[in-house]
Every structure is written in structure tokens, then in C-alpha cells.
Amino acid sequence: MRTPARLGLYGGALVAAFAVAFTTAGAVVPEETVQSWMQETEGHDMQESEGHDMGGSENPEAGGTDAAAPLAVRGLSLAQGDYRLSQVDVGNTVGQEQRLSLTVLGPGGEPVTDFELSHDKELHLIVVRDDGAWFRHVHPERDAGGTWSIPLEWKAAGSYRVFADFVPTETGENVTVSRTVQVAGDFQPQPASETSTASTIGGFDVTLEGDLAAGETSTVTARVTRDGKPVTALEPYLGAYGHLVALRDGDLAYLHVHPEGDEPAPGTLSGPEVVFATSAPTPGRYLLYLDFQVGGQVHTAQFVVDAH
């Protein structure tokens, strides 16, 4: 039983106890007064048990949605609500393709096998080194027993955070959980020492316009060009013309980001701009990674921005 529900029942018990106490003492409590107390208590219980959860929570582990809590961050724990990420099994040898596997555990510790599609996938796997220098956004496959797996090659040693982002069908609410993986070898950290709003990848030049505002939702616009000309052949990818992941530098807190506009129809093209809404919970440095697709190939542009 959740704490709000317990408090509501406790409040109802107090009302009943007070009514009995008054009667025992010879005092008469008008029936309409008792009914009023009970209605207020029930109303408060309903608000606690439904309203707070439905609107989201500033606590990312509460399991609520982010819609009414733009400052919430996620992914700082291996558990969120009733859902937990299993041990991440993967080799720690640099330069060799290995198989990464994990399982999402639900209520009762059983593997979860029923997920909703979110951004065209049942599960998004984000792997990033703790200094932000190495990033992958991939989509593993799930077997009948609930184990997700995908080939992965470590390019460099270091400490990596593995995020699993998914929506269980049972709740319909987004969950982001993570674990840390250590890759052996000579670690050469590359911290984000300077801000950068321009990135060149695969012959494309990508710039990021707009500011992150701490404590409120703001919009940023990615603009893609090639040889100085606007790229208007952006293809739908994960339900949009681009997919943006934002992480807070230092603890790699996972921020809520969503593309603006309607979901594009398959086969349509757009560009050169993609607009995103995001929120920075605190001032400081943030690492942004933009996936976009042209000609069937996905490219990832990286940025470093400060929120004020």
C-alpha cells in the first residue's frame, strides 16, 4: 500500500475515533458534521492516490509521468517504482565485439515481456561513457523469456552507464533505469571542458540553436546542412525527423526531451530544422546527442551546452 493511501485510511480512522469519543463523553456530534469530515478525508485520499501520480512527480523514482513535472530527471537508479534493471552481462575487452544482455524485472521480480511501443521501439538502450566522450543509442532484441541482447564493441576503456528506457504495458508509464559497466584498460578521460553548439558528422554540419533554461521548459533547434546547403532529406527516425538525448554532465541524469510537431508519415522527408522541447533541472553543463537519418543511415551529432 502506498504512503498516501495509508495516510488516507489513517485519517478516516481518526474521524471515526473522534466521533466515538464525542459520543462516549456525552457530546452530540451532528451527523452532517461527521459526514463532512468523512467527505473531506475521502477527497484528500483520492487526490493523494490519483492526482499526484497522474500528473507526474519531481521524484524520478516515483513512477509517474513527466508531463506535469518538467524538472524531473530519470535514470539515476537501477530501479523505478516496481521495475528494476537486472545485472548487465557483457565482456569488458576493448576492440572486440561482444554481446550485451539484460532483463527488465517487474513486480515480484519476474522478467517483463509486455511493452508498449515508444518512439517506434519497445526498448531504447543508451550506452555512454561517464565523461560523455563515447555514446551509443541502440535497440536490442528480446527473446521469449524477456532477455534483451545486442552485439556491442567497446572502443575505449572506462566506466559506462547503460540506460534502459521503456514503457511497460501494465502501467503505460515511461521508465528509465540504469546500471554501470566497467571496461578494463588504459583510461584516457576526455571531459567536456568547453561548450559546443556545432558538430560535423558523416559530411553533415549540424548546429544547435536556442538556450537551455534551468528550472523551465525551453526549445532548441537542430539545423542540418551539407556543403553549406540546407539538408531537406531528413527521414523519419524513431517517430520524428530526429531524436535527441540530453544528459547532465557529472551524474548523467537523463532529461525528458521530445520533438515538436506531429509524428511524420512513413516515406516523408523534411529539414533542415528539427525542434525539440526540453528542460534543465539545474544550472550547469549538459551533453546532448542528436540522432538523424539521411539515405537510410543514422548519424549522431554531439553538443555541449550550459543551462543558466
Side-chain angles (χ1 to χ4, degrees):
M1 183 182 296
R2 293 175 302 175
T3 299
R6 289 198 302 266
L7 291 177
L9 292 176
Y10 179 65
L14 283 179
V15 170
F18 284 143
V20 171
F22 273 112
T23 303
T24 303
V28 177
V29 181
E31 181 178 355
E32 58 271 20
T33 302
V34 175
Q35 291 296 327
S36 176
W37 289 348
M38 293 297 293
Q39 290 172 2
E40 289 178 2
T41 302
E42 290 172 358
H44 180 70
D45 181 28
M46 185 67 70
Q47 180 183 23
E48 292 286 359
S49 62
E50 294 185 0
H52 285 235
D53 287 345
M54 290 176 63
S57 170
E58 291 185 357
N59 178 1
E61 306 305 327
T65 62
D66 299 294
L71 304 187
V73 295
R74 301 176 290 166
L76 292 178
S77 171
L78 59 84
Q80 179 178 325
D82 291 330
Y83 295 89
R84 180 169 58 88
L85 188 61
S86 73
Q87 184 70 35
V88 177
D89 294 324
V90 63
N92 66 350
T93 303
V94 174
Q96 294 183 7
E97 185 175 272
Q98 297 142 109
R99 196 153 194 90
L100 182 149
S101 63
L102 54 85
T103 304
V104 175
L105 304 176
E110 296 299 320
V112 180
T113 58
D114 199 1
F115 299 83
E116 293 184 1
L117 288 179
S118 176
H119 297 289
D120 289 346
K121 299 293 181 180
E122 286 190 348
L123 184 141
H124 296 264
L125 193 69
I126 308 298
V127 185
V128 59
R129 200 167 73 171
D130 60 2
D131 60 358
W134 193 92
F135 172 91
R136 294 292 184 275
H137 177 180
V138 294
H139 304 99
E141 296 182 353
R142 175 175 54 83
D143 66 18
T147 298
W148 298 87
S149 62
I150 191 171
L152 188 69
E153 179 182 343
W154 304 112
K155 296 296 185 181
S159 179
Y160 290 79
R161 181 77 62 83
V162 178
F163 297 90
D165 192 344
F166 55 89
V167 178
T169 300
E170 184 174 352
T171 65
E173 297 179 348
N174 183 259
V175 175
T176 306
V177 288
S178 71
R179 276 188 180 270
T180 299
V181 173
Q182 304 295 336
V183 179
D186 183 19
F187 175 45
Q188 302 292 332
Q190 303 175 43
S193 58
E194 297 181 359
T195 60
S196 174
T197 56
S199 178
T200 298
I201 183 72
F204 296 93
D205 296 313
V206 189
T207 57
L208 199 66
E209 301 172 357
D211 297 319
L212 282 183
E216 61 183 84
T217 300
S218 58
T219 58
V220 293
T221 301
R223 180 178 176 84
V224 184
T225 62
R226 180 162 52 185
D227 299 327
K229 298 179 181 179
V231 173
T232 57
L234 298 179
E235 300 167 346
Y237 179 65
L238 302 179
Y241 291 112
H243 191 277
L244 186 66
V245 171
L247 305 173
R248 184 166 58 188
D249 188 27
D251 62 0
L252 297 182
Y254 196 96
L255 275 62
H256 179 72
V257 181
H258 65 85
E260 298 284 77
D262 298 330
E263 181 174 342
T268 59
L269 301 177
S270 185
E273 297 180 344
V274 187
V275 181
F276 300 91
T278 187
S279 56
T282 59
R285 185 148 294 177
Y286 292 83
L287 314 174
L288 278 62
Y289 305 87
L290 170 70
D291 289 331
F292 64 96
Q293 180 172 285
V294 178
Q297 184 174 359
V298 178
H299 305 274
T300 303
Q302 302 185 18
F303 311 95
V304 180
V305 299
D306 287 339
H308 302 284

